[in-house]
Amino acid sequence: MILILFGPPGAGKGTQADYLKEKFNLLHLSTGDILREEVSNNTELGVQAKKFMDSGELVTDELIIGMIKNKIESTVNVEGFLFDGFPRTISQAEALDQMLDSSNKSIDKVISLEVDDKTLIERLLARGRSDDNEETIKNRLEVYKNQTLPIKDYYHSKNQLVEIKGDSSIEEVSSEIEKSL
Ligand code: AMP
């Protein structure tokens, strides 16, 4: 099974991923988590990524696509993948389709978590990550609308998109997601 958790920062992608990966034995690939680990290990990739992350801009497609390719190719013994925070641009979405095509796989569902801006901002401010300050949050939501939201149409036109209301309790959202699969 190959799932994508889609939605703006603060929509609950990470929280739902924790549940879904256990339930379906999927490898959880969060590009944000992978990047933060690269930053904390001070790798070359981390150093390059950090300046984008600090300002809430997207890391370049080239770096992200290379990183995901490595992870997919080096993984054995999972029943599928759960992408979280990836893809974030149309180019990334197309690159993912190509990677999956070449191993005769395809995306089963793109789960879009729908949450209004006010709730997102409240959740992000409560979370308190270093890029969860008011200035950066504003930019991340802007970047989401301009660069990431167009992907919804891309997946909608391929009949892969489901929209789930993401502002109820964690358990209710999980159960709605399961019903949609
Ligand atoms: P996240 O944890 O998903 O909110 O990601 C934190 C930051 O990492 C983002 O603000 C971006 O700078 C960067 N990032 C994570 N995933 C991607 C991606 N797929 N494409 C580009 N940048 C990303």
Side-chain angles (χ1 to χ4, degrees), residues 90-124:
I90 296 275
S91 304
Q92 291 180 19
E94 289 171 348
L96 177 62
D97 277 342
Q98 274 169 22
M99 278 181 244
L100 296 175
D101 262 356
S102 66
S103 45
N104 281 320
K105 295 192 179 85
S106 66
I107 294 163
D108 292 286
K109 278 272 176 330
V110 178
I111 300 153
S112 175
L113 297 175
E114 309 288 321
V115 179
D116 65 78
D117 278 7
K118 186 169 165 284
T119 310
L120 293 174
I121 294 168
E122 279 168 14
R123 284 185 183 175
L124 291 169

Side-chain angles (χ1 to χ4, degrees), residues 37-154:
E37 197 178 319
E38 298 281 341
V39 170
S40 75
N41 292 333
N42 218 3
T43 64
E44 201 186 314
L45 172 59
V47 171
Q48 290 190 59
K50 189 176 185 319
K51 51 181 187 289
F52 298 106
M53 298 170 77
D54 284 345
S55 62
E57 292 294 320
L58 294 184
V59 175
T60 62
D61 286 336
E62 199 188 345
L63 287 180
I64 297 288
I65 292 164
M67 193 174 93
I68 286 286
K69 221 178 214 157
N70 283 338
K71 290 280 173 191
I72 293 181
E73 283 168 2
S74 63
T75 300
V76 287
N77 285 337
V78 293
E79 279 162 50
F81 294 99
L82 175 58
F83 295 102
D84 156 8
F86 171 86
R88 262 199 176 64
T89 62
I90 296 275
S91 304
Q92 291 180 19
E94 289 171 348
L96 177 62
D97 277 342
Q98 274 169 22
M99 278 181 244
L100 296 175
D101 262 356
S102 66
S103 45
N104 281 320
K105 295 192 179 85
S106 66
I107 294 163
D108 292 286
K109 278 272 176 330
V110 178
I111 300 153
S112 175
L113 297 175
E114 309 288 321
V115 179
D116 65 78
D117 278 7
K118 186 169 165 284
T119 310
L120 293 174
I121 294 168
E122 279 168 14
R123 284 185 183 175
L124 291 169
L125 287 173
R127 192 166 74 172
R129 222 165 64 188
S130 69
D131 59 347
D132 287 338
N133 58 76
E134 223 152 320
E135 188 73 4
T136 310
I137 288 172
K138 243 197 223 153
N139 195 36
R140 281 155 65 206
L141 292 176
E142 213 36 47
V143 164
Y144 173 77
K145 276 165 200 158
N146 295 330
Q147 301 184 53
T148 304
L149 207 50
I151 301 183
K152 259 178 92 165
D153 282 339
Y154 176 84

